[in-house]
Amino acid sequence: WEEEEEVVVVGNHGSGAAPFSSRAWEVRASIERAHMALLGMDEQRRLMQRPDTSPLLTAQVSQDLNLHFQALQESLGFSKGQYGRVSDVKLLGMMAESDKGLKLIARALLLLPKQAPALLPTALGVLLSKPPSAKPPSAFGVPFGGPKKEGSTAEEKLLLAALKILKASTKVPPFPFAAAKLALEFVMAPHIRTATLNKA
């Protein structure tokens, strides 16, 4: 698991409420729990691949791996035991507002393809309703800091993960049309409220 930059989530610091009880801290804690689950999954997979792993240890590792999968799903807003629908959509949406959260969701999509119909509408809705975070080009047409490889930004990671899921939809349960429609509705909602598309 690659080292990520620290995310700073803006909260309502002037409300007088306890800082660790705010929604922003809940989002931050969920991201950290998800990262711990991913680290645990990586460790359990390495143990599974060792040639000297005994059948008894393999069974224990498999059980621990399932627990990490559950922890990852619950940190993304799913309720325990109900992984077909995100119960805390606001939590998932706030996670998608940060680069660290987007990268996390992108990796979760690849690990949990069956949950893609529940994760993608909110994640894509947040992503596509804000301007891209790419750095401005220099006078020579090359981005500051040099060209970046494909999939290096949080937005690219999420979109590439979504594309991979859609391409593999014939091998996994098909991506429902309703989920794609809901994603577009999330994107269109801000424009409808602000009437930015009325002249188009």
Side-chain angles (χ1 to χ4, degrees):
W1 175 252
E2 60 181 0
E3 187 71 21
E4 300 283 5
E5 69 278 4
E6 184 177 0
V7 61
V8 177
V9 185
V10 178
N12 186 10
H13 302 295
S15 62
F20 297 105
S21 64
S22 68
R23 190 64 167 173
W25 277 106
E26 183 181 351
V27 172
R28 186 188 184 97
S30 294
I31 291 177
E32 294 306 319
R33 284 196 300 270
H35 279 154
M36 293 302 297
L38 289 171
L39 289 172
M41 291 163 65
D42 287 343
E43 180 62 27
Q44 299 305 314
R45 285 175 169 175
R46 282 193 289 269
L47 288 174
M48 291 278 282
Q49 294 170 356
R50 289 180 54 174
D52 59 341
T53 303
S54 65
L56 181 61
L57 181 57
T58 299
Q60 181 62 49
V61 168
S62 179
Q63 182 179 356
D64 292 342
L65 189 59
N66 287 333
L67 291 176
H68 290 307
F69 266 106
Q70 293 175 15
L72 174 61
Q73 293 175 93
E74 290 165 19
S75 67
L76 292 171
F78 291 96
S79 296
K80 187 174 183 179
Q82 299 180 0
Y83 304 122
R85 180 179 63 86
V86 176
S87 59
D88 196 340
V89 178
K90 186 175 181 180
L91 172 68
L92 179 63
M94 291 181 69
M95 291 174 67
E97 290 177 356
S98 70
D99 285 352
K100 192 171 185 179
L102 276 182
K103 291 178 181 179
L104 171 64
I105 295 170
R107 189 173 183 196
L109 284 170
L110 299 177
L111 293 171
L112 309 167
K114 292 183 179 180
Q115 276 68 51
L119 293 171
L120 275 176
T122 300
L124 287 177
V126 172
L127 173 62
L128 299 177
S129 63
K130 61 181 182 179
S133 61
K135 294 182 179 179
S138 68
F140 300 99
V142 179
F144 287 111
K148 291 186 176 182
K149 62 180 181 179
E150 184 181 24
S152 61
T153 68
E155 291 91 344
E156 289 173 343
K157 286 181 182 294
L158 181 70
L159 293 175
L160 289 173
L163 183 61
K164 187 173 182 178
I165 294 295
L166 291 172
K167 285 183 176 179
S169 61
T170 57
K171 301 178 183 178
V172 299
F175 187 78
F177 171 78
K181 180 175 180 292
L182 185 58
L184 289 175
E185 290 175 351
F186 269 101
V187 175
M188 295 300 295
H191 299 289
I192 294 173
R193 288 196 302 269
T194 58
T196 55
L197 296 182
N198 287 351
K199 298 180 181 180

